[in-house]
PDB file of all heavy atoms in Angstrom:
ATOM      1  N   PHE A 302     105.104 114.284 105.157  1.00 98.00           N
ATOM      2  CA  PHE A 302     105.548 112.914 105.219  1.00 98.00           C
ATOM      3  C   PHE A 302     104.825 112.120 106.298  1.00 98.00           C
ATOM      4  O   PHE A 302     104.560 112.723 107.334  1.00 98.00           O
ATOM      5  CB  PHE A 302     106.991 112.837 105.520  1.00 98.00           C
ATOM      6  CG  PHE A 302     107.934 113.425 104.416  1.00 98.00           C
ATOM      7  CD1 PHE A 302     108.585 114.661 104.698  1.00 98.00           C
ATOM      8  CD2 PHE A 302     107.958 112.941 103.184  1.00 98.00           C
ATOM      9  CE1 PHE A 302     109.396 115.180 103.669  1.00 98.00           C
ATOM     10  CE2 PHE A 302     108.822 113.512 102.126  1.00 98.00           C
ATOM     11  CZ  PHE A 302     109.463 114.615 102.369  1.00 98.00           C
ATOM     12  N   SER A 303     104.550 110.994 106.059  1.00 98.00           N
ATOM     13  CA  SER A 303     103.718 110.232 107.067  1.00 98.00           C
ATOM     14  C   SER A 303     104.504 109.798 108.254  1.00 98.00           C
ATOM     15  O   SER A 303     103.950 109.507 109.337  1.00 98.00           O
ATOM     16  CB  SER A 303     103.157 108.897 106.429  1.00 98.00           C
ATOM     17  OG  SER A 303     104.283 107.940 106.236  1.00 98.00           O
ATOM     18  N   PHE A 304     105.799 109.913 108.133  1.00 98.00           N
ATOM     19  CA  PHE A 304     106.778 109.485 109.245  1.00 98.00           C
ATOM     20  C   PHE A 304     106.993 110.636 110.179  1.00 98.00           C
ATOM     21  O   PHE A 304     107.801 110.447 111.114  1.00 98.00           O
ATOM     22  CB  PHE A 304     107.958 108.784 108.611  1.00 98.00           C
ATOM     23  CG  PHE A 304     108.700 109.636 107.676  1.00 98.00           C
ATOM     24  CD1 PHE A 304     109.485 110.720 108.026  1.00 98.00           C
ATOM     25  CD2 PHE A 304     108.660 109.366 106.308  1.00 98.00           C
ATOM     26  CE1 PHE A 304     110.246 111.388 107.155  1.00 98.00           C
ATOM     27  CE2 PHE A 304     109.272 110.068 105.357  1.00 98.00           C
ATOM     28  CZ  PHE A 304     110.105 111.145 105.760  1.00 98.00           C
ATOM     29  N   GLU A 305     106.546 111.834 109.914  1.00 98.00           N
ATOM     30  CA  GLU A 305     106.960 112.893 110.706  1.00 98.00           C
ATOM     31  C   GLU A 305     106.602 112.780 112.196  1.00 98.00           C
ATOM     32  O   GLU A 305     107.322 113.120 113.136  1.00 98.00           O
ATOM     33  CB  GLU A 305     106.336 114.228 110.128  1.00 98.00           C
ATOM     34  CG  GLU A 305     106.960 114.598 108.795  1.00 98.00           C
ATOM     35  CD  GLU A 305     106.371 115.908 108.273  1.00 98.00           C
ATOM     36  OE1 GLU A 305     106.195 116.865 108.962  1.00 98.00           O
ATOM     37  OE2 GLU A 305     106.146 115.961 107.016  1.00 98.00           O
ATOM     38  N   ALA A 306     105.416 112.224 112.429  1.00 95.00           N
ATOM     39  CA  ALA A 306     104.916 112.067 113.760  1.00 95.00           C
ATOM     40  C   ALA A 306     105.917 111.161 114.537  1.00 95.00           C
ATOM     41  O   ALA A 306     105.997 111.316 115.842  1.00 95.00           O
ATOM     42  CB  ALA A 306     103.510 111.490 113.729  1.00 95.00           C
ATOM     43  N   SER A 307     106.492 110.198 113.912  1.00 98.00           N
ATOM     44  CA  SER A 307     107.384 109.290 114.732  1.00 98.00           C
ATOM     45  C   SER A 307     108.703 109.803 114.960  1.00 98.00           C
ATOM     46  O   SER A 307     109.466 109.357 115.771  1.00 98.00           O
ATOM     47  CB  SER A 307     107.430 107.979 113.946  1.00 98.00           C
ATOM     48  OG  SER A 307     108.205 108.198 112.762  1.00 98.00           O
ATOM     49  N   GLY A 308     109.088 110.894 114.242  1.00 97.00           N
ATOM     50  CA  GLY A 308     110.374 111.483 114.421  1.00 97.00           C
ATOM     51  C   GLY A 308     111.568 110.721 113.725  1.00 97.00           C
ATOM     52  O   GLY A 308     112.669 111.201 113.909  1.00 97.00           O
ATOM     53  N   ILE A 309     111.128 109.726 112.946  1.00 98.00           N
ATOM     54  CA  ILE A 309     112.348 109.079 112.223  1.00 98.00           C
ATOM     55  C   ILE A 309     112.679 109.876 110.971  1.00 98.00           C
ATOM     56  O   ILE A 309     112.028 110.651 110.461  1.00 98.00           O
ATOM     57  CB  ILE A 309     111.948 107.725 111.852  1.00 98.00           C
ATOM     58  CG1 ILE A 309     110.893 107.630 110.759  1.00 98.00           C
ATOM     59  CG2 ILE A 309     111.587 106.823 113.049  1.00 98.00           C
ATOM     60  CD1 ILE A 309     110.615 106.236 110.162  1.00 98.00           C
ATOM     61  N   THR A 310     113.939 109.605 110.494  1.00 98.00           N
ATOM     62  CA  THR A 310     114.391 110.201 109.269  1.00 98.00           C
ATOM     63  C   THR A 310     114.972 109.037 108.276  1.00 98.00           C
ATOM     64  O   THR A 310     116.035 108.543 108.597  1.00 98.00           O
ATOM     65  CB  THR A 310     115.586 111.178 109.423  1.00 98.00           C
ATOM     66  OG1 THR A 310     115.157 112.183 110.358  1.00 98.00           O
ATOM     67  CG2 THR A 310     115.995 111.818 108.205  1.00 98.00           C
ATOM     68  N   PRO A 311     114.082 108.565 107.408  1.00 98.00           N
ATOM     69  CA  PRO A 311     114.614 107.401 106.573  1.00 98.00           C
ATOM     70  C   PRO A 311     115.817 107.797 105.759  1.00 98.00           C
ATOM     71  O   PRO A 311     116.074 108.976 105.498  1.00 98.00           O
ATOM     72  CB  PRO A 311     113.269 107.246 105.722  1.00 98.00           C
ATOM     73  CG  PRO A 311     112.125 108.003 106.306  1.00 98.00           C
ATOM     74  CD  PRO A 311     112.818 109.077 107.054  1.00 98.00           C
ATOM     75  N   ASP A 312     116.514 106.804 105.292  1.00 98.00           N
ATOM     76  CA  ASP A 312     117.668 107.081 104.386  1.00 98.00           C
ATOM     77  C   ASP A 312     117.127 107.374 102.933  1.00 98.00           C
ATOM     78  O   ASP A 312     117.831 108.182 102.256  1.00 98.00           O
ATOM     79  CB  ASP A 312     118.460 105.880 104.310  1.00 98.00           C
ATOM     80  CG  ASP A 312     119.107 105.566 105.709  1.00 98.00           C
ATOM     81  OD1 ASP A 312     119.755 106.430 106.240  1.00 98.00           O
ATOM     82  OD2 ASP A 312     118.892 104.452 106.203  1.00 98.00           O
ATOM     83  N   ILE A 313     116.082 106.670 102.565  1.00 98.00           N
ATOM     84  CA  ILE A 313     115.441 107.018 101.243  1.00 98.00           C
ATOM     85  C   ILE A 313     113.926 107.072 101.400  1.00 98.00           C
ATOM     86  O   ILE A 313     113.348 106.317 102.233  1.00 98.00           O
ATOM     87  CB  ILE A 313     115.771 105.853 100.227  1.00 98.00           C
ATOM     88  CG1 ILE A 313     117.321 105.682 100.131  1.00 98.00           C
ATOM     89  CG2 ILE A 313     115.206 106.017  98.963  1.00 98.00           C
ATOM     90  CD1 ILE A 313     117.828 104.673  99.126  1.00 98.00           C
TER      91      ILE A 313
END
Side-chain angles (χ1 to χ4, degrees):
Chain A
F302 294 113
S303 71
F304 51 79
E305 292 179 43
S307 70
I309 66 167
T310 305
D312 297 304
I313 301 182

